[in-house]
Amino acid sequence: MHPSLLCPLPSSFPSFMVDSQYYLPNDIGIAALDCCEAFRLLSPRERMYAHHLSRAAWYGGLAVLLQTSPESANIFVLLQRIFRKQTPAQLEQVATAVGLSSEEYLAFLVYAAGLYANMGNYKSFGDTKFIPNLPKDKLKALVWASQAFQDQPGEMEALWNSCSCPLYSLEDRQKQLGLGDKGITTYFSGNCGLEDAELAQKFLDSQNLSAYNTRLFKRENGGKACYEVRLASAVQKGQSQRVPCCLFLTVQLSVVLSLKKEFTVKRGDYAPLMEKVSYYVQQAQAHAANDNQKKMLEEYRRSFTFGSIEAHKEGSRYWIKDKGPIVESYIGFIESYRDPFGSRGEFEGFVAVVNKAMSERFAKLVSSAEILLPELPWPRDFEKDIFLKPDFTSLDVLTFAGSGIPAGINIPNYDDIRQSEGFKNVSLGNVLAVAYATQKDKLTFLEEEDKDVYIKWKGPSFEVQVGLHELLGHGSGKLFVQDDKGKFNFDQSKVINPETGEQVSSWYRGSETWDSKFSTIASSYEECRAECVGLYLCLNQQVLSIFGHEGQDAEDVVYINWLNMVRAGLLGLEFYTPESKSWRQAHMQARFVILRVLLEAGEGLVGLEEMTGQDGRPDARITLDRSKIHTVGKNAIHRFLCKLQVFKSTADVEGGRALYDSYSAVSDGGSHNFLRLRETVLLRKEARKMFVQANTRINGDSVELVEYEGSAAGLIRSFIERFQEDAEQLEADLLELNKRDAPCWCC
């Protein structure tokens, strides 16, 4: 059934009937992302460069609406039309007149802010759906009384009818993102399952095509399965190529050939948005600081115009060469966390300004990398032949368009470039400053005596963890590869697998990549490996000295880094879905796995106890014996981290999946009832903060920064003003793109 036909909730329901994980609380943290000082220090040329790249990022970020759910784009347009006509303050008077309480109206504003911040109606961190925390009939009354409805009643009613049912629906499959009967996805048509994703990946590999900027649509034609691989590009007409399976699929797929399947590769996904991205990228070229930036942007423009990942890879090569720019940026289909199969990238784009003081610390870490890498627990043959020293900078974010803002990034994600040409690391300083501030009264699951030291050192310890995670976590480890010509990047006769004591017997072949090979577990597995590297190397005194920590302060940083990790593992249970036995967030699954590893280490290293809280409700306490971190803890991470790397290096999917799945399992058996603990975590969870970002606008020959208050109203206003110059055309484009694909979401 099409999602828009599902209306399981009554028109009026009290919020206590809905599980709190499916709505955003009125007291959710909303903070303005401060970049005023960073922007002030830019030259006029740098401001213009940042402005045009920001515009490219914001327009491209709208593609995430179409990558998230069938209804997200229509809800976005509905909100835009309402708030373009009336500010939140003006609309409040209307809300009062039609019977909304102040709490209900605030709930509406929070919902709208949440949709903007997540670029869709599913949480970017956890992939859970959220619905308005007010009755449907009251929201409808507000829409009907709005000025937008008064001006265009027919269009607004049609828009409401197109999205109001899925907007509120909590039918089981719609509660989270996923493939097939496990959830909602718009990376695949509704009739696709895991076997279709696997077949498509084999086809793409056989054609040496990347999945990063694609979606997959399936239809039946005379009993034959026909697949459309759609590339994101501005160009669309006359650019498709039909590819019969029998012509291109490799011998490995011989079993499929008899099934009469056909693939068509077609350009033009998100075409109006990609056209905008290409235009603003080209505008930025005129203000580039050097030739590397100009060549980078030219390749990006080609990529977004024609749908070429090869062009984006070439642009990424120039980006790596652009060392130490004042204005840093990256844009494209980057992270594959939200593709249920783990191969397709969500659009994101960021523009940021270098924080020179903090960047000096990261530069020292980079300089020490070649000394620190041999400390990692795998044999030398499993490390890259040459460590290509990357840029590692602390940035103050001006613009981050997409579904959410991370604390740090290691990019590009292309394995062939990362292995042999290099990468960059960035830590997002102004995000860290706001996102990880902690209030004592909201600090759950810790002993009282740990809370003060936790609050004091959480920020500094997380800074160390992010640095190690990004640089030496994601930046370490070798993939054993046999290329298309049969050449190996390692000596088969000499390299020994430390887990078996025998010669390495598996590796990546041809166009196979980490993502395509490990698919559904790739993202979380790699985040777990990087987190383990951070835990392991934060024990190194040289690392702690680089970040300015000595003596007792250094020991406190180590303690809180490890304590924060095991607490995060417990908190991660929020992102597990028992019904489908699946995880919805890669990082939190990784942290739960680490908690399991450290609990398994025993000897009193980690304690986890269920109890009744002072409020009479279920509670839990997690403890860490700091005297055993350097012994029991280090040994446990040493053993586990070595296994993770060996399975990754050797492309041993079977071994890697068995290991990772075993530690990812959430059950009510054993020494800890994790299913019951999950209920406790949900009972006491705190909503993730949302960020209000500034806009830039051209005034004469200069660029101005426009800032907004850290509130739901401020976040809404920032989005209304972000697209006001072509609002009507943009909204029409989004509605048309959504309408074109609407039949594809039927199962």
Side-chain angles (χ1 to χ4, degrees):
M1 183 177 289
H2 191 280
S4 65
L5 301 179
L6 293 164
C7 263
L9 287 175
S11 62
S12 180
F13 63 93
S15 61
F16 63 78
M17 290 177 60
V18 180
D19 190 323
S20 64
Q21 68 177 311
Y22 299 116
Y23 61 80
L24 305 176
N26 282 5
D27 63 352
I28 189 171
I30 303 176
L33 204 55
D34 182 20
C35 60
C36 182
E37 181 63 15
F39 186 80
R40 186 185 68 81
L41 296 173
L42 295 179
S43 69
R45 183 187 184 96
E46 290 163 348
R47 291 184 183 188
M48 197 65 76
Y49 180 72
H51 167 76
H52 289 300
L53 286 179
S54 292
R55 300 306 293 155
W58 286 123
Y59 278 105
L62 294 174
V64 177
L65 293 165
L66 301 163
Q67 291 182 299
T68 299
S69 72
E71 65 272 10
S72 286
N74 284 22
I75 299 172
F76 175 87
V77 173
L78 178 72
L79 295 173
Q80 287 288 99
R81 290 188 174 176
I82 290 172
F83 289 115
R84 276 201 292 113
K85 293 291 185 178
Q86 291 168 294
T87 66
Q90 292 169 337
L91 193 64
E92 184 172 14
Q93 300 173 26
V94 178
T96 301
V98 295
L100 271 70
S101 69
S102 58
E103 285 295 302
E104 288 170 333
Y105 182 64
L106 179 57
F108 169 61
L109 295 185
V110 166
Y111 176 80
L115 186 117
Y116 288 133
N118 292 278
M119 268 293 97
N121 60 336
Y122 287 76
K123 297 174 187 175
S124 64
F125 200 85
D127 294 343
T128 307
K129 187 173 187 177
F130 58 95
I131 67 173
N133 190 22
L134 73 158
K136 183 177 178 181
D137 56 357
K138 289 199 171 185
L139 179 54
K140 180 178 180 180
L142 177 60
V143 172
W144 255 244
S146 69
Q147 189 61 50
F149 192 95
Q150 302 306 309
D151 291 349
Q152 295 179 306
E155 289 189 25
M156 287 294 289
E157 183 171 1
L159 190 50
W160 169 263
N161 289 339
S162 73
C163 65
S164 59
C165 282
L167 188 150
Y168 272 94
S169 172
L170 286 176
E171 182 262 339
D172 283 347
R173 182 168 168 256
Q174 294 199 3
K175 288 179 179 178
Q176 65 282 316
L177 299 179
L179 184 58
D181 60 1
K182 290 189 175 182
I184 293 295
T185 181
T186 49
Y187 285 104
F188 298 86
S189 56
N191 55 353
C192 284
L194 181 59
E195 66 281 0
D196 299 296
E198 292 171 340
L199 176 63
Q201 188 61 58
K202 290 174 182 177
F203 165 74
L204 291 168
D205 287 345
S206 76
Q207 300 301 298
N208 203 24
L209 285 172
S210 170
Y212 269 116
N213 65 340
T214 71
R215 293 196 290 172
L216 184 69
F217 297 84
K218 175 185 176 183
R219 61 183 175 84
E220 298 290 331
N221 185 8
K224 179 171 65 175
C226 298
Y227 295 92
E228 179 185 303
V229 176
R230 196 183 297 170
L231 307 178
S233 69
V235 169
Q236 48 186 326
K237 290 186 178 179
Q239 300 293 334
S240 65
Q241 178 184 7
R242 185 165 292 171
V243 187
C245 271
C246 56
L247 296 180
F248 292 98
L249 291 185
T250 63
V251 176
Q252 291 174 309
L253 287 179
S254 58
V255 69
V256 177
L257 300 182
S258 62
L259 300 181
K260 297 181 180 179
K261 300 180 188 297
E262 180 180 275
F263 281 84
T264 299
V265 180
K266 186 177 180 181
R267 292 186 173 99
D269 214 2
Y270 326 117
L273 302 178
M274 294 301 102
E275 188 175 343
K276 285 283 192 180
V277 175
S278 298
Y279 170 78
Y280 280 109
V281 164
Q282 188 171 33
Q283 293 299 300
Q285 276 184 281
H287 308 282
N290 54 55
D291 284 343
N292 276 326
Q293 287 184 359
K294 289 178 182 177
K295 292 174 181 177
M296 169 190 81
L297 293 175
E298 178 56 30
E299 294 298 333
Y300 289 168
R301 187 192 65 78
R302 285 205 312 124
S303 175
F304 299 130
T305 301
F306 299 107
S308 169
I309 288 295
E310 286 304 314
H312 195 269
K313 290 172 74 170
E314 192 63 26
S316 297
R317 291 185 173 98
Y318 287 116
W319 179 70
I320 293 168
K321 295 174 185 176
D322 185 28
K323 302 288 187 183
I326 300 299
V327 178
E328 185 61 281
S329 67
Y330 199 63
I331 188 170
F333 295 87
I334 312 301
E335 302 292 355
S336 57
Y337 300 126
R338 300 183 92 188
D339 169 17
F341 190 67
S343 294
R344 288 153 189 81
E346 184 176 77
F347 192 97
E348 74 179 37
F350 77 84
V351 183
V353 182
V354 172
N355 180 318
K356 293 181 179 179
M358 182 54 67
S359 295
E360 287 178 7
R361 296 184 187 178
F362 291 130
K364 290 178 182 177
L365 188 63
V366 171
S367 298
S368 303
E370 288 170 293
I371 298 171
L372 296 171
L373 281 170
E375 298 291 317
L376 292 171
W378 47 81
R380 177 68 188 86
D381 288 327
F382 285 73
E383 191 48 69
K384 294 174 183 175
D385 300 332
I386 300 173
F387 180 73
L388 301 165
K389 290 186 178 181
D391 245 12
F392 197 165
T393 49
S394 177
L395 306 175
D396 286 338
V397 171
L398 172 64
T399 293
F400 206 112
S403 65
I405 309 179
I409 319 170
N410 176 284
I411 37 182
N413 286 331
Y414 306 119
D415 289 334
D416 50 346
I417 294 179
R418 294 168 61 83
Q419 289 284 314
S420 59
E421 299 177 58
F423 53 89
K424 282 186 180 182
N425 294 281
V426 298
S427 174
L428 305 179
N430 58 343
V431 176
L432 283 169
V434 175
Y436 298 97
T438 306
Q439 294 178 311
K440 189 173 181 179
D441 62 341
K442 292 188 176 182
L443 197 50
T444 54
F445 308 130
L446 294 181
E447 296 280 11
E448 281 301 316
E449 56 263 34
D450 279 332
K451 289 184 178 180
D452 287 334
V453 69
Y454 183 92
I455 290 170
K456 180 178 179 180
W457 292 109
K458 183 185 177 185
S461 69
F462 196 70
E463 184 180 270
V464 173
Q465 179 69 11
V466 168
L468 294 171
H469 174 115
E470 300 296 347
L471 176 66
L472 300 173
H474 292 314
S476 65
K478 181 175 182 173
L479 302 184
F480 296 145
V481 177
Q482 180 185 19
D483 66 21
D484 290 327
K485 298 178 181 178
K487 183 179 178 181
F488 290 87
N489 70 342
F490 68 103
D491 190 334
Q492 288 175 278
S493 64
K494 294 183 179 179
V495 178
I496 301 299
N497 183 327
E499 295 299 311
T500 64
E502 300 174 354
Q503 289 181 355
V504 167
S505 58
S506 58
W507 49 82
Y508 298 85
R509 302 172 188 271
S511 60
E512 289 179 343
T513 66
W514 162 249
D515 279 336
S516 69
K517 195 76 175 166
F518 280 71
S519 64
T520 54
I521 66 166
S523 291
S524 184
Y525 187 111
E526 174 59 13
E527 294 304 331
C528 186
R529 194 183 69 89
E531 292 283 46
C532 286
V533 168
L535 287 181
Y536 193 78
L537 289 180
C538 82
L539 303 176
N540 185 292
Q541 197 58 50
Q542 182 179 352
V543 168
L544 295 165
S545 296
I546 287 170
F547 285 89
H549 307 304
E550 305 284 351
Q552 184 58 45
D553 287 354
E555 287 303 309
D556 285 345
V557 165
V558 169
Y559 176 60
I560 295 307
N561 194 35
W562 280 63
L563 181 62
N564 187 48
M565 186 63 70
V566 294
R567 177 176 180 262
L570 178 60
L571 296 177
L573 288 167
E574 175 189 344
F575 303 96
Y576 177 76
T577 303
E579 293 79 7
S580 60
K581 296 184 178 180
S582 61
W583 285 89
R584 307 187 310 275
Q585 214 294 317
H587 299 79
M588 300 311 282
Q589 179 183 359
R591 292 159 187 163
F592 176 77
V593 166
I594 292 170
L595 170 62
R596 290 282 309 278
V597 169
L598 295 178
L599 282 168
E600 183 183 81
E603 300 187 45
L605 173 68
V606 176
L608 178 56
E609 178 188 1
E610 293 184 74
M611 58 179 55
T612 300
Q614 292 182 348
D615 57 4
R617 301 188 302 172
D619 205 345
R621 287 293 177 272
I622 193 155
T623 57
L624 175 70
D625 187 338
R626 68 159 71 205
S627 71
K628 295 178 179 177
I629 293 174
H630 287 266
T631 53
V632 180
K634 183 177 181 180
N635 290 338
I637 294 297
H638 181 287
R639 292 189 299 270
F640 184 62
L641 185 51
C642 186
K643 289 180 180 180
L644 289 176
Q645 182 57 50
V646 168
F647 289 136
K648 180 180 180 182
S649 291
T650 59
D652 185 352
V653 180
E654 185 177 343
R657 187 177 290 277
L659 174 74
Y660 203 66
D661 285 350
S662 68
Y663 283 107
S664 297
V666 177
S667 72
D668 55 4
S671 55
H672 297 97
N673 188 330
F674 286 115
L675 284 174
R676 190 167 61 216
L677 280 164
R678 175 182 175 271
E679 295 302 315
T680 302
V681 169
L682 288 173
L683 185 68
R684 298 185 178 277
K685 72 184 181 71
E686 182 182 1
R688 194 171 176 85
K689 288 179 182 174
M690 298 191 289
F691 296 107
V692 181
Q693 298 184 58
N695 284 322
T696 55
R697 67 182 176 205
I698 295 177
N699 186 0
D701 295 330
S702 63
V703 177
E704 298 175 341
L705 186 72
V706 183
E707 296 181 287
Y708 305 90
E709 67 176 17
S711 66
L715 206 161
I716 291 165
R717 185 180 160 212
S718 73
F719 268 88
I720 297 302
E721 295 185 3
R722 194 158 283 149
F723 303 108
Q724 59 187 1
E725 62 192 49
D726 59 349
E728 291 187 6
Q729 183 59 55
L730 182 64
E731 291 162 12
D733 288 339
L734 284 170
L735 292 177
E736 181 57 34
L737 288 169
N738 213 39
K739 180 181 177 182
R740 180 190 66 180
D741 292 334
C744 300
W745 314 129
C746 303
C747 296

